[in-house]
Amino acid sequence: MLIHKEVKDRELYVYMNGKLIYKRWLDTGASKVFDVMAYDKNTLVSIKDLQQQREKRELIAVSVLLKLKATADGGRRTGILSGYRPDHVFEYPENDGRLEAFMGDITWYDGLAIEPGEEKVVTVRFFFRPQIEQYLSIGRKWQIHEGPVCIGEAEIIDFI
């Protein structure tokens, strides 16, 4: 069985033996299964495939608009430099209050720090984990944390 995944024109396609079985529109997060039987059969293979990808440490990179909170609003007292690795929190569960945070690094190339209260277009890279895929779509916003403290917000502009 041959599994092939590709992204083109902001759409993810999954093929099995050359036949399209799944499509996801990355801009909206909507998806469609074209061959239910093949997709169901492929589930265990996909899980193994995802484990192999995680072992290879594949990255997902997105271009985002990063907005840091001002110090007076509870943000940092100092700016951040390219390579900063905070926690990225996409949702807050209502029942038990525990957060699922994803590790991702924030980079840019002009060499200047981003100061509290400023915003900038940057690149955020995440290690690929199956749980994060559901949160990645154009326009999606999330909070940037240092431990339990929210220091900013990010919004996906594009996929890299």
Side-chain angles (χ1 to χ4, degrees), residues 114-160:
I114 303 173
E115 298 297 328
E118 292 183 344
E119 62 182 54
K120 183 178 200 130
V121 175
V122 298
T123 299
V124 176
R125 298 180 309 167
F126 297 102
F127 285 125
F128 180 80
R129 291 178 49 201
Q131 300 90 331
I132 199 170
E133 186 179 23
Q134 66 181 320
Y135 299 116
L136 299 180
S137 59
I138 302 294
R140 176 65 189 225
K141 293 182 180 182
W142 72 92
Q143 287 75 41
I144 305 298
H145 278 249
E146 286 183 347
V149 179
C150 179
I151 62 157
E153 179 180 83
E155 178 181 354
I156 297 177
I157 298 171
D158 202 359
F159 290 88
I160 299 174

Side-chain angles (χ1 to χ4, degrees), residues 43-53:
T43 303
L44 289 177
V45 175
S46 292
I47 290 170
K48 290 177 186 173
D49 188 34
L50 293 173
Q51 287 171 344
Q52 290 171 355
Q53 285 179 357

Side-chain angles (χ1 to χ4, degrees), residues 10-12 22-32 133-140 159:
R10 296 186 188 166
E11 297 173 349
L12 168 69
Y22 177 79
K23 180 178 179 180
R24 180 178 175 129
W25 290 267
L26 298 174
D27 288 338
T28 63
S31 62
K32 181 172 182 176
E133 186 179 23
Q134 66 181 320
Y135 299 116
L136 299 180
S137 59
I138 302 294
R140 176 65 189 225
F159 290 88

Side-chain angles (χ1 to χ4, degrees), residues 55-105:
E55 290 168 5
K56 292 179 187 175
R57 296 290 201 197
E58 289 191 21
L59 299 174
I60 298 172
V62 291
S63 179
V64 305
L65 177 62
L66 174 68
K67 299 176 184 178
L68 291 183
K69 284 183 173 182
T71 304
D73 296 330
R76 293 174 53 99
R77 285 181 273 195
T78 61
I80 63 171
L81 299 174
S82 184
Y84 179 62
R85 293 190 306 180
D87 293 328
H88 301 263
V89 178
F90 288 89
E91 66 180 354
Y92 295 90
E94 295 177 14
N95 51 2
D96 63 5
R98 283 185 271 159
L99 305 176
E100 181 172 16
F102 297 93
M103 181 61 77
D105 67 349

Side-chain angles (χ1 to χ4, degrees), residues 1-19:
M1 175 177 357
L2 177 65
I3 307 293
H4 174 71
K5 298 177 187 175
E6 66 182 47
V7 176
K8 59 183 176 185
D9 299 323
R10 296 186 188 166
E11 297 173 349
L12 168 69
Y13 296 88
V14 178
Y15 297 90
M16 185 171 77
N17 297 330
K19 182 179 176 186

